[in-house]
Amino acid sequence: MIIDCHGHYTTAPKALEDWRNRQIANLNTPELGPKVAELDISDDELRESIEANQLRLMKERGSDLTIFSPRASFMAHHIGDFNTSATWAAICNELCARVAQLFPEHFIGAAMLPQSPGADPASCIPELERCVKEYGMVGINLNPDPSGGHWNAPPLSDKSWYPIYEKMVEYGIPAMIHVSTSCNPCFHTTGAHYLNADTTAFMQCLTSDLFKDFPDLKFLIPHGGGAVPYHWGRFRGLAQEMKKPLLSEHLLNNIFFDTCVYHQPGIDLLTKVMPVKNVLFASEMIGAVRGIDPETGNYYDDTKRYIEAAAISDADRRAIFEDNARHVFPRLDAALKEQGL
Amino acid sequence: MIIDCHGHYTTAPKALEDWRNRQIANLNTPELGPKVAELDISDDELRESIEANQLRLMKERGSDLTIFSPRASFMAHHIGDFNTSATWAAICNELCARVAQLFPEHFIGAAMLPQSPGADPASCIPELERCVKEYGMVGINLNPDPSGGHWNAPPLSDKSWYPIYEKMVEYGIPAMIHVSTSCNPCFHTTGAHYLNADTTAFMQCLTSDLFKDFPDLKFLIPHGGGAVPYHWGRFRGLAQEMKKPLLSEHLLNNIFFDTCVYHQPGIDLLTKVMPVKNVLFASEMIGAVRGIDPETGNYYDDTKRYIEAAAISDADRRAIFEDNARHVFPRLDAALKEQGL
């Protein structure tokens, strides 16, 4: 079984974007903005948006199940206030839940949170609980920078984040650490901000004792961990100077990396440097890089090919494709077992 | 000949730091602050600070010449205003110039600029010219984020930077794109901010047509290019979607990467993914990672060992160790030729 742990609903029917645009146009006059009930997307429209896109490519490439969350760049937590995000998150999460209901063999949901700059992270808990209890979602996406590139929230080790971590541990759900659109002209969203956030989050964990406080907390760092595996010697050396434990003890029981690295040498490095148990298959398809690599003739984001070509054992490949995802997402594992898988 | 293109004066006599602390203590009362003349460091003190540290390690490891600039984390352009930075940069650059005079076979200077948040980059030109003309410096360090982690300066493609680029091209000096200390608690300085800045700067160049305007402009991106080589497929794919030329044409005549990557797999990736002509030997010694790697028994930042062990030809190794630095730093090449080297 091949589980892609990083998929976003990037192909939602256009009505969703139209609704959001109306919400944004009325930020200062929310009473004039669209009502939730005004968004009307039928099951057929959902089916079509998935069958023609993600599901088609999953079948072509040979992956079975995608952990599916709202489009990352559309979270845009920097827009409006908590109420703006709360309404928007509820809508986006419901659509992902409906996709998972329509295609239970191929999609399972993960939630975006209604984060907002300056808002207490604890304010996200009702939506988190709703997504777990009502929708059976198995993970969340946690944005370490709700400002969209101004980085004025406290680091992930700050106690203000702890109420979310307590719920994550209580429900057995991991967080993918994933920022959204950059509204800072310094940072290109998918070429700089995403990768920077991955590296930043890792370093926030390294310098802190977060996982002493939460030994069961699990973070999945996407995009192959940003710059982390490439600079693994640097991070080992920095931890050593800070008198931290070896990274294998200090972080690697809690931090995992996905395989959204879009060329063979990158995946080769990732699988060589990181323990296999810390690597989870993912493609972020259909996402930031949608083209075909002229050097290979294959889609850049067809990461399954790179894992298949990596110099690792079949057991390691199976761990990356399936076992590790079941370990990091215990609710996914339970759901699969219920299906007899 | 082995040229290390990335060395900072991290071991300056303590009097320098004391002077800076007094300057900072009197930011709002500069008339009470220290005068430049109050900083008194003898040639013997300079010699000692170098012979016992960088020069000792250069001899032990077998490198010959270091391009030597003021300590990156001490630039701290976010402190004070333009006058604060102007005085501080002049002092730090003079010390590096004196080191180069004392050890002409082993050190050659590169300048920090008196950047300051919100100040016009053109205000740095007098110090730049002084360092080239009076001190014979061969490069500059350009900080894309003088705010120290708030990233509120315009991207490097913005026309406000152009006066600096015009001078760089006029004098034939490249810029190492190097941030300084982060004063944003989200970003660890050497573990996140430095690497993020490398990736960010690369992406600012990728999305722009900067090198169409300045075909002779050269940027050296340190720390192995941040996340760039590890994600080379992502960057190629993003450029492709933006209808940019191939990166080999679009950026690789102008952007170069140093080898400050502190483990063998990282260097192996760098030398595999990047054309050899774009890779310049560097260690950033004595810098962010000073310890010994227990996995190898060698210093993390002894990057010469990794280059020697990389699966590249002797000609490629020579290019990385010497020829590429002479190409990117033409004033260095001229200075060496004057010495008959």
Side-chain angles (χ1 to χ4, degrees):
Chain A
M1 180 170 206
I2 296 185
I3 301 168
D4 185 333
C5 70
H6 188 175
H8 301 297
Y9 196 5
T10 52
T11 59
K14 183 151 183 306
L16 180 68
E17 186 176 356
D18 293 342
W19 190 96
R20 174 68 160 173
N21 286 340
R22 288 177 59 207
Q23 185 195 36
I24 294 170
N26 289 291
L27 281 184
N28 297 319
T29 50
E31 66 282 5
L32 303 179
K35 296 188 176 33
V36 173
E38 290 176 50
L39 179 66
D40 183 23
I41 298 178
S42 70
D43 283 355
D44 279 348
E45 288 172 292
L46 291 182
R47 266 193 211 96
E48 195 184 339
S49 75
I50 294 288
E51 282 172 348
N53 294 299
Q54 286 87 351
L55 191 57
R56 174 180 61 81
L57 288 172
M58 286 165 67
K59 287 180 175 171
E60 278 179 27
R61 299 181 186 180
S63 69
D64 301 296
L65 177 69
T66 296
I67 300 176
F68 204 57
S69 60
R71 186 173 190 169
S73 64
F74 271 29
M75 297 192 299
H77 294 118
H78 62 277
I79 294 174
D81 57 16
F82 172 75
N83 287 323
T84 315
S85 282
T87 309
W88 178 234
I91 284 175
C92 292
N93 286 330
E94 189 195 2
L95 286 181
C96 287
R98 286 175 62 197
V99 168
Q101 276 183 320
L102 291 170
F103 302 97
E105 292 177 15
H106 296 299
F107 294 93
I108 194 161
M112 70 174 271
L113 299 180
Q115 295 178 252
S116 190
D120 183 350
S123 61
C124 297
I125 289 178
E127 179 66 11
L128 184 159
E129 293 198 302
R130 197 174 74 87
C131 288
V132 173
K133 292 179 180 172
E134 286 183 29
Y135 296 151
M137 289 191 173
V138 300
I140 57 170
N141 293 339
L142 184 65
N143 184 346
D145 173 31
S147 77
H150 296 292
W151 290 96
N152 44 24
L156 291 172
S157 52
D158 188 82
K159 293 216 157 41
S160 59
W161 297 100
Y162 277 27
I164 291 186
Y165 303 155
E166 285 159 9
K167 285 291 163 189
M168 288 169 58
V169 172
E170 178 185 339
Y171 290 120
I173 55 172
M176 175 171 281
I177 308 299
H178 205 308
V179 288
S180 184
T181 293
S182 161
C183 60
N184 182 332
C186 283
F187 301 129
H188 184 271
T189 295
T190 54
H193 190 43
Y194 281 16
L195 303 176
N196 293 351
D198 302 336
T199 310
T200 300
F202 181 84
M203 200 63 202
Q204 290 176 356
C205 296
L206 190 155
T207 53
S208 75
D209 291 317
L210 175 59
F211 301 121
K212 273 194 187 155
D213 286 352
F214 292 98
D216 295 326
L217 187 66
K218 289 192 172 59
F219 284 169
L220 178 55
I221 303 193
H223 321 109
V228 171
Y230 176 49
H231 285 284
W232 195 234
R234 186 180 193 85
F235 291 101
R236 288 195 292 110
L238 288 170
Q240 189 171 317
E241 293 199 20
M242 292 175 206
K243 315 285 187 207
K244 296 288 184 187
L246 288 177
L247 293 183
S248 52
E249 299 162 39
H250 183 50
L251 298 178
L252 293 186
N253 295 314
N254 306 89
I255 289 184
F256 301 82
F257 304 93
D258 82 8
T259 64
C260 292
V261 178
Y262 296 150
H263 64 153
Q264 188 69 47
I267 290 290
D268 290 344
L269 176 112
L270 173 64
T271 53
K272 182 168 192 177
V273 168
M274 287 300 156
V276 165
K277 74 175 177 66
N278 293 86
V279 180
L280 274 68
F281 174 68
S283 68
E284 200 170 5
M285 170 274 290
I286 297 169
V289 182
R290 304 183 177 197
I292 288 175
D293 185 344
E295 295 185 7
T296 65
N298 299 315
Y299 286 101
Y300 287 103
D301 65 5
D302 187 357
T303 53
K304 180 165 164 278
R305 289 176 184 272
Y306 311 134
I307 305 293
E308 280 166 351
I312 53 177
S313 70
D314 285 346
D316 286 352
R317 229 179 306 276
R318 187 192 150 122
I320 291 172
F321 279 141
E322 177 180 354
D323 304 347
N324 297 345
R326 285 178 179 254
H327 169 69
V328 173
F329 293 85
R331 282 184 173 254
L332 165 67
D333 186 49
L336 290 173
K337 283 180 175 151
E338 251 180 49
Q339 294 177 39
L341 294 168
Chain B
M1 179 169 207
I2 296 185
I3 301 168
D4 185 333
C5 71
H6 188 175
H8 301 297
Y9 197 5
T10 51
T11 59
K14 183 150 183 307
L16 181 68
E17 187 175 356
D18 293 342
W19 190 97
R20 174 68 160 172
N21 286 340
R22 289 177 58 208
Q23 186 195 35
I24 293 169
N26 290 290
L27 280 183
N28 297 319
T29 51
E31 66 282 6
L32 302 179
K35 296 189 176 30
V36 172
E38 288 176 51
L39 178 66
D40 184 22
I41 298 178
S42 70
D43 282 355
D44 279 348
E45 288 173 292
L46 290 182
R47 266 192 213 97
E48 196 183 339
S49 75
I50 294 290
E51 282 172 348
N53 294 299
Q54 286 86 352
L55 191 56
R56 174 179 61 81
L57 289 171
M58 286 164 66
K59 287 180 175 172
E60 279 179 27
R61 299 181 186 180
S63 70
D64 300 297
L65 177 70
T66 297
I67 300 177
F68 204 58
S69 60
R71 186 173 190 169
S73 63
F74 272 29
M75 297 192 299
H77 294 118
H78 62 277
I79 294 174
D81 58 15
F82 171 76
N83 288 323
T84 315
S85 282
T87 309
W88 177 235
I91 283 175
C92 292
N93 286 330
E94 190 196 1
L95 286 180
C96 287
R98 285 174 63 196
V99 168
Q101 275 183 321
L102 290 169
F103 302 97
E105 292 177 15
H106 296 299
F107 294 92
I108 194 160
M112 69 174 272
L113 298 180
Q115 296 178 251
S116 189
D120 183 350
S123 61
C124 296
I125 289 176
E127 180 67 11
L128 184 159
E129 293 197 302
R130 197 174 72 87
C131 288
V132 173
K133 292 180 181 173
E134 286 183 30
Y135 296 151
M137 289 191 172
V138 300
I140 57 171
N141 293 339
L142 184 66
N143 184 346
D145 172 32
S147 77
H150 296 292
W151 290 96
N152 45 25
L156 291 172
S157 52
D158 188 82
K159 293 217 157 41
S160 59
W161 298 100
Y162 277 27
I164 290 186
Y165 303 155
E166 286 160 9
K167 284 293 163 190
M168 287 169 57
V169 171
E170 178 186 338
Y171 290 120
I173 54 172
M176 176 171 281
I177 308 300
H178 206 308
V179 288
S180 184
T181 292
S182 161
C183 60
N184 182 334
C186 282
F187 301 128
H188 184 272
T189 295
T190 54
H193 190 42
Y194 281 16
L195 303 176
N196 292 351
D198 302 335
T199 311
T200 300
F202 182 84
M203 200 64 201
Q204 290 177 356
C205 295
L206 190 154
T207 52
S208 75
D209 291 317
L210 175 58
F211 301 120
K212 274 194 187 155
D213 286 351
F214 292 98
D216 295 326
L217 187 65
K218 291 191 171 59
F219 285 169
L220 179 56
I221 303 194
H223 322 108
V228 171
Y230 175 49
H231 285 283
W232 195 234
R234 186 179 193 86
F235 291 101
R236 289 195 291 110
L238 288 170
Q240 190 171 317
E241 294 199 20
M242 292 175 205
K243 315 284 186 205
K244 297 288 184 187
L246 288 177
L247 293 183
S248 52
E249 300 161 39
H250 184 49
L251 298 179
L252 293 187
N253 294 315
N254 305 89
I255 289 184
F256 301 83
F257 303 93
D258 82 8
T259 64
C260 292
V261 178
Y262 296 150
H263 64 153
Q264 188 69 48
I267 291 290
D268 289 344
L269 177 112
L270 173 64
T271 53
K272 182 168 192 176
V273 168
M274 287 299 155
V276 165
K277 74 175 176 67
N278 293 87
V279 179
L280 275 67
F281 174 68
S283 69
E284 200 170 4
M285 169 273 289
I286 299 170
V289 183
R290 304 183 178 197
I292 288 177
D293 185 345
E295 295 185 7
T296 65
N298 300 314
Y299 285 101
Y300 286 103
D301 65 4
D302 187 357
T303 53
K304 179 164 164 279
R305 288 176 183 271
Y306 310 135
I307 305 294
E308 280 165 352
I312 53 177
S313 71
D314 285 346
D316 286 353
R317 230 179 305 276
R318 187 192 150 121
I320 291 171
F321 279 141
E322 177 181 353
D323 304 347
N324 297 345
R326 285 179 179 253
H327 169 69
V328 173
F329 293 85
R331 282 185 172 254
L332 165 67
D333 186 49
L336 290 173
K337 282 180 176 151
E338 250 180 50
Q339 294 177 40
L341 295 167

